[in-house]
Amino acid sequence: MSDGLGVRDVVVRYPGAARAAVDEVSLDVPVGEVVALLGPSGCGKSSLLRAVAGLEPLAGGDVAWDGVGVTGVPVHRRGFGLLFQDGQLFGHLDVARNVAYGLAGTPRAAQAARVAELLELVGLPGTQRRDVATLSGGERQRVALARALAPNPRLLLLDEPLSALDRSLRERLALDLRDVLVATGTTALFVTHDHDEAFAVADRVAVMDAGRLLQVAAPAALWSRPASRRVAEFLGYEAFVDVPAHPAAAPAAVRALVGALAPVPTPGTTLALAAGAFVVATDDAHGVAGDVTVLRSRRGRTEVVVEVPGAGRVTALAPAGWSCDPGDAVPLRVDAAALAALPGAWVTSEQHTGS
Amino acid sequence: MTTTLERGRPAAAPASGPGGGGVPLGRVVAWAAAVAVPLLFLGVFFAWPVAAIVGRGFVTDGTLDLGGFADVLSRPRTWRIVGQTLTQATLGTLGAVLLGLPGAYLLHRCTFRGRGALRAFVTVPFVLPTVVVGVAFRSLLVEGGLLGGLGLDGTRTAIVLALVFFNYAVVVRTVGGLWERLDPRAEQAARSLGASPWRAFRTVTLPALAPAIASAASLTFLFCATAFGTVLVLGGRQFGTVETEIWVQTTQFLDLRAAAVLSVLQLVVVVTALALAGRARARTERALALTEPVDAAHPVRLRDPLDAVAVTVTAVTAVGLLALPLVNLVVRSLRTPDGWGLGNYARLAQPADVLRVSALDATVTSLRVALDATVLALVVGGLVALVVSRRPRRPAGRRAVAGLDALFMLPLGVSAVTVGFGFLVSMDRPLGLPLDLRTSGVLVPVAQAVVAVPLVVRTVLPVLRAIDPRLREAAATLGAAPGRVLRTVDLAVAVRSLGLALGFAFAASLGEFGATSFLARPEDPTLPVVIFRLLGRPGVDNYGTALAASVLLAALTAGIVAVCERLRSPGVGSSW
């Protein structure tokens, strides 16, 4: 892939650290695409982002744009914008001068027009003269986004831009962010530890752990075919069941899980169960049951944590208004949508064909 | 929600600065110049003169000779002076800390009408020229003065009171600056666990303040131990410090070797105190980094015993210790032999008989010299602060920066008298050039700049260090070249503290007496020198003129600092 960002075998090391923060990572971001770098805290995703921006020296590998290496190019000449978690607005400048910071050298009238255009785009029209100290957290990030987009960066890097905000604002801004990136046709690399956010914003998601890239895939493909147990765990799959060689001898729950998937998974593969892989059934027709240990409500829906023989402790969804007591045995059925098989063979093919 | 680990990394690794890999030649040259200019300035005008003095103590006719030491150290007079120096400094420090802690609490943790004015007022003594402080206390305590009946004139008590007067603001500002940023919830947690207000203060707040108190105490000790003008005016023949003794030995006994030995002695005291202050300050800066600024000030509650104590102590201090000498000075300056009037001020314009220089002429000289010194100090101090605020990626670079930081603090402690004396000894042929700088008059602003540089560094540096490195990174990713990042981020933020630095530097230069008294040419004295000369001459008129000149000098310095403090943006602190 020669169009857009090319990251080849990049290694980032910090002095005194035992292992590399980023360990031989390769990743392509074609022009116009939004890729999310998803991973737990400390997995090296921010280090990779900073290395792409030119803020961290490479201990190995190469970063290129349109096939041309940029490793020796200083930060300010790369044309890569960067949006920080906490915005990093210039406190001594007002909103308009913050947004216009990257427009140095263009005529004043053109600057003003561009600032107005971008503030309109991020939903803050007319705030040019505001002191940035008077902005709310969400407004600050909107201004920071406008500032980063103003010089038309060929690539926009976003370092957990929504993480400092509260949940409802974060969910709303994630959608706005996606709209803005699509509307401006911006190529973007987006770091987050929140898979919902990654799925909401990105065209493709790259999962990182311990300095290595585990899987790159479109959100739906990632969710339905996680490449490994580690990826599945990070996406929120909570239980894992090995497909037995002789299903007939296995517990009823395992038989039901294997039977729910088409094609039937081969023995030796592992099934990953997300919350909702079991649903509380209204009748006993499925032959699967579990003992309720916890009954709870999340966003108005009832959930039960059930102990299922052969599957372990899993979260099952229940119909609205349904109730029971801890200790009760409840009938369950399987929902294949919350189930994924983890065949090792899919990992490499996905990584190479997916991009 | 990145972990602290991940957030810590960018902070430790700035994008720009010396020691980065693959830095272009232009930037290397620019940074090298930024390091070299201050190093050269302090090397020639500080290290070399001081080394010359030290050399005089150790070397006679080219050979090592410790005879001077043996001689001077065997004199009872020397040990009396050393004892007085340490006793006065210890008492002065104790007084300033004990009175300053309630002041810091009241002025930085409580709100009340007029707090801003009171804060500004308690800072005034610190910027007053030392000679003026001496004159103010003396006019209060002399026979016939308002408190003449107490018989304190020429006593150690008078000196200690004046030292506390001068250093009160150091404690209030240093401790208060940390106190207002302490998270009140730690104390609230202690209270909720059943601790009384006093126990919560003693077990939670006081330990948290300890680094700031230690830092303020070491600085105060330093200022007290090297006090010159105040002690010279108040101490008479009986009391002195090593600093005044160096002056006495040089100008009255003409014993340069004894002065050199005393300078070495002084250096030992100063370096020890500075090392302690530096360690305490490092701990404060670490603690500050952990604390978000919080607005924890509450209205004064007189029913609360802690508040009541703070209000009482601060009121007595502000009125009795700070305001009384100043008001008395102004009142006394208006008293002439013919009754109340402006006669003393009228005489400021008249050339005094022998000097053929009027106090107003000296004022013009003072302002001109102080302006030159301030420009020098801002350039050198600004460069030092800029270099020392960098956090290079390589450990060797970080160690070098820390070393520079410590090096540039030295002039803060080394006595101005030693510097002035050192100039006299070394500047007849500076760097071997056939050029006697001692007669040219340029040495006065240079010496004053040497004294003012650490003030500039300590005011600008905390502001530069507080800039999040990611702010510079954000600028760079927006296309700003390193030069533009420096101009639009570092400089733009530092400018807000530059006003205060300018004020301190100007005030320090205007009131500088220790070095200036050696270096000012007789026909071009500065105002503090004229005041001291007038005090030494008999006659009610001369004394009255000295009082009027002191009021003029005090008004000038306080006015300049007040204007500069107004230029300062709220929230921009300094370690003073």
Side-chain angles (χ1 to χ4, degrees):
Chain A
M1 186 74 63
S2 65
D3 268 5
L5 176 72
V7 172
R8 286 284 159 273
D9 305 321
V10 159
V11 180
V12 176
R13 270 177 210 287
Y14 292 105
R19 65 173 180 85
V22 177
D23 196 0
E24 299 199 350
V25 167
S26 298
L27 178 70
D28 288 312
V29 184
V31 170
E33 198 180 60
V34 178
V35 171
L37 262 179
L38 177 65
S41 296
C43 73
K45 55 193 191 301
S46 289
S47 303
L48 176 57
L49 198 76
R50 291 173 57 82
V52 171
L55 296 169
E56 299 292 341
L58 298 183
D62 187 32
V63 175
W65 182 262
D66 286 353
V68 181
V70 296
T71 308
V73 179
V75 181
H76 62 281
R77 299 223 181 85
R78 287 198 183 189
F80 294 174
L82 176 55
L83 182 57
F84 286 95
Q85 179 177 8
D86 44 5
Q88 295 295 337
L89 296 178
F90 302 120
H92 56 286
L93 304 178
D94 63 12
V95 168
R97 288 170 67 202
N98 261 286
V99 177
Y101 188 91
L103 300 173
T106 45
R108 205 150 277 254
Q111 279 190 19
R114 179 79 176 141
V115 169
E117 179 194 347
L118 280 157
L119 287 177
E120 181 83 42
L121 184 70
V122 298
L124 290 172
T127 54
Q128 277 90 335
R129 297 274 81 85
R130 287 269 299 272
D131 180 351
V132 295
T134 65
L135 300 173
S136 71
E139 288 169 337
R140 295 173 72 88
Q141 283 309 75
R142 287 172 191 267
V143 172
L145 178 63
R147 184 180 70 174
L149 288 172
N152 259 327
R154 42 190 190 170
L155 172 70
L156 181 61
L157 305 164
L158 304 101
D159 192 358
E160 307 229 13
L162 308 176
S163 296
L165 308 174
D166 61 47
R167 182 182 182 141
S168 59
L169 187 59
R170 196 163 70 219
E171 289 175 356
R172 207 170 65 236
L173 270 189
L175 298 177
D176 290 356
L177 180 59
R178 167 88 196 164
D179 291 344
V180 168
L181 293 178
V182 170
T184 52
T186 303
T187 313
L189 187 57
F190 174 86
V191 160
T192 178
H193 65 273
D194 182 323
H195 43 82
D196 288 335
E197 204 173 286
F199 288 6
V201 175
D203 298 312
R204 283 191 305 140
V205 177
V207 182
M208 256 187 103
D209 186 44
R212 291 184 163 273
L213 209 53
L214 299 182
Q215 186 177 8
V216 187
L222 185 69
W223 178 251
S224 59
R225 296 195 297 278
S228 67
R229 185 167 170 151
R230 184 79 189 104
V231 173
E233 276 172 350
F234 187 69
L235 293 178
Y237 285 90
E238 56 181 12
F240 297 88
V241 174
D242 291 329
V243 176
H246 306 289
V254 176
R255 288 202 308 274
L257 288 168
V258 172
L261 282 177
V264 174
T266 51
T269 54
T270 300
L271 299 182
L273 282 64
F278 287 105
V279 178
V280 173
T282 45
D283 55 56
D284 252 337
H286 309 278
V288 182
D291 294 331
V292 174
T293 53
V294 177
L295 180 78
R296 66 183 177 215
S297 177
R298 177 177 290 180
R299 295 187 182 181
R301 294 203 54 178
T302 306
E303 288 179 358
V304 284
V305 178
V306 288
E307 194 73 47
V308 181
R313 179 175 284 227
V314 293
T315 306
L317 299 179
W322 181 87
S323 186
C324 74
D325 290 314
D328 289 356
V330 293
L332 299 169
R333 64 182 171 81
V334 172
D335 180 0
L339 208 54
L342 305 177
W346 292 354
V347 182
T348 45
S349 69
E350 179 63 34
Q351 236 173 4
H352 289 296
T353 57
S355 44
Chain B
M1 209 228 49
T2 327
T3 56
T4 43
L5 180 74
E6 265 194 317
R7 288 175 67 175
R9 275 173 190 158
S16 60
V23 183
L25 186 67
R27 276 170 69 197
V28 173
V29 171
W31 281 109
V35 175
V37 167
L39 270 183
L40 200 68
F41 179 82
L42 289 179
V44 173
F45 295 114
F46 174 70
W48 189 34
V50 172
I53 292 287
V54 175
R56 271 184 178 253
F58 285 104
V59 181
T60 318
D61 299 331
T63 55
L64 188 66
D65 174 18
L66 296 178
F69 271 83
D71 174 28
V72 175
L73 293 183
S74 64
R75 295 179 198 167
R77 183 184 166 92
T78 305
W79 292 109
R80 182 170 59 84
I81 294 287
V82 169
Q84 282 175 359
T85 304
L86 295 179
T87 312
Q88 286 160 15
T90 306
L91 291 175
T93 306
L94 273 178
V97 169
L98 286 180
L99 295 180
L101 280 185
Y105 172 75
L106 191 67
L107 290 173
H108 290 270
R109 212 53 198 231
C110 301
T111 52
F112 52 90
R113 280 174 66 99
R115 182 176 78 157
L118 188 57
R119 267 198 203 186
F121 171 69
V122 302
T123 312
V124 169
F126 177 63
V127 301
L128 284 188
T130 53
V131 172
V132 172
V133 175
V135 171
F137 271 82
R138 193 144 172 226
S139 72
L140 187 64
L141 301 174
V142 283
E143 231 171 289
L146 190 59
L147 300 179
L150 298 177
L152 289 175
D153 189 25
T155 63
R156 172 176 292 150
T157 312
I159 294 175
V160 170
L161 282 177
L163 292 176
V164 174
F165 168 90
F166 184 72
N167 287 295
Y168 177 73
V170 176
V171 177
V172 170
R173 286 182 83 114
T174 310
V175 178
L178 178 62
W179 210 331
E180 69 185 356
R181 303 175 80 177
L182 275 191
D183 196 330
R185 285 172 297 185
E187 198 172 310
Q188 287 160 5
R191 294 297 307 279
S192 73
L193 291 166
S196 66
W198 167 241
R199 179 162 173 244
F201 172 75
R202 193 168 46 81
T203 56
V204 176
T205 309
L206 206 55
L209 292 177
I213 296 174
S215 170
S218 350
L219 274 176
T220 303
F221 187 86
L222 199 65
F223 291 143
C224 290
T226 58
F228 178 61
T230 310
V231 179
L232 201 61
V233 172
L234 285 177
R237 298 200 165 275
Q238 216 187 340
F239 290 100
T241 57
V242 176
E243 186 93 352
T244 59
E245 184 65 10
I246 296 170
W247 185 83
V248 169
Q249 292 290 346
T250 316
T251 58
Q252 300 191 354
F253 300 159
L254 302 176
D255 186 350
L256 292 190
R257 201 160 72 142
V261 172
L262 287 167
S263 292
V264 175
L265 214 58
Q266 167 104 317
L267 266 176
V268 172
V269 174
V270 158
V271 168
T272 312
L274 263 185
L276 292 175
R279 272 177 57 184
R281 202 180 41 251
R283 274 162 60 198
T284 313
E285 279 176 4
R286 272 209 298 281
L288 282 178
L290 297 172
T291 327
E292 293 286 317
V294 284
D295 190 19
H298 61 78
V300 171
R301 295 177 297 247
L302 284 173
R303 290 210 188 109
D304 183 330
L306 283 184
D307 282 21
V309 169
V311 167
T312 312
V313 172
T314 308
V316 170
T317 309
V319 174
L321 184 69
L322 305 186
L324 189 61
L326 295 177
V327 173
N328 177 67
L329 177 67
V330 175
V331 172
R332 286 295 296 258
S333 73
L334 294 171
R335 201 162 80 188
T336 65
D338 327 317
W340 300 96
L342 293 171
N344 291 330
Y345 289 90
R347 265 197 304 281
L348 290 177
Q350 294 168 8
D353 42 5
V354 189
L355 299 168
R356 287 190 302 280
V357 180
S358 73
L360 281 187
D361 296 336
T363 308
V364 174
T365 307
S366 274
L367 288 172
R368 215 185 50 233
V369 168
L371 194 64
D372 294 346
T374 305
V375 171
L376 271 177
L378 279 185
V379 170
V380 174
L383 284 175
V384 170
L386 187 64
V387 169
V388 173
S389 70
R390 301 290 108 171
R391 276 169 279 193
R393 198 177 285 274
R394 291 193 200 123
R398 280 203 293 278
R399 276 197 299 275
V401 163
L404 283 178
D405 189 10
L407 195 67
F408 290 126
M409 281 305 285
L410 267 181
L412 178 67
V414 172
S415 78
V417 168
T418 305
V419 172
F421 181 29
F423 274 24
L424 275 192
V425 171
S426 64
M427 289 297 154
D428 51 341
R429 286 173 64 84
L431 301 173
L433 299 172
L435 177 75
D436 192 348
L437 284 182
R438 293 177 303 176
T439 54
S440 69
V442 300
L443 286 184
V444 179
V446 167
Q448 294 183 351
V450 168
V451 174
V453 161
L455 290 172
V456 174
V457 174
R458 282 299 136 200
T459 311
V460 178
L461 185 57
V463 179
L464 282 180
R465 279 206 173 135
I467 298 175
D468 192 325
R470 286 174 301 166
L471 209 54
R472 301 187 185 104
E473 294 171 0
T477 60
L478 290 167
R484 183 166 178 236
V485 174
L486 208 60
R487 202 176 69 244
T488 54
V489 178
D490 290 288
L491 206 62
V493 173
V495 152
R496 298 186 292 176
S497 68
L498 229 50
L500 194 63
L502 192 134
F504 277 143
F506 203 89
S509 306
L510 208 53
E512 212 291 320
F513 180 57
T516 310
S517 63
F518 278 93
L519 300 171
R521 291 179 297 180
E523 67 274 23
D524 279 331
T526 63
L527 195 50
V529 172
V530 165
I531 292 171
F532 187 70
R533 282 187 193 166
L534 285 169
L535 282 179
R537 295 218 249 110
V540 185
D541 280 357
N542 283 328
Y543 183 61
T545 312
L547 293 182
S550 297
V551 171
L552 176 66
L553 185 54
L556 272 177
T557 33
I560 283 161
V561 171
V563 168
C564 292
E565 182 123 21
R566 281 198 168 254
L567 299 178
R568 180 170 81 133
S569 311
V572 176
S574 84
S575 47
W576 300 98

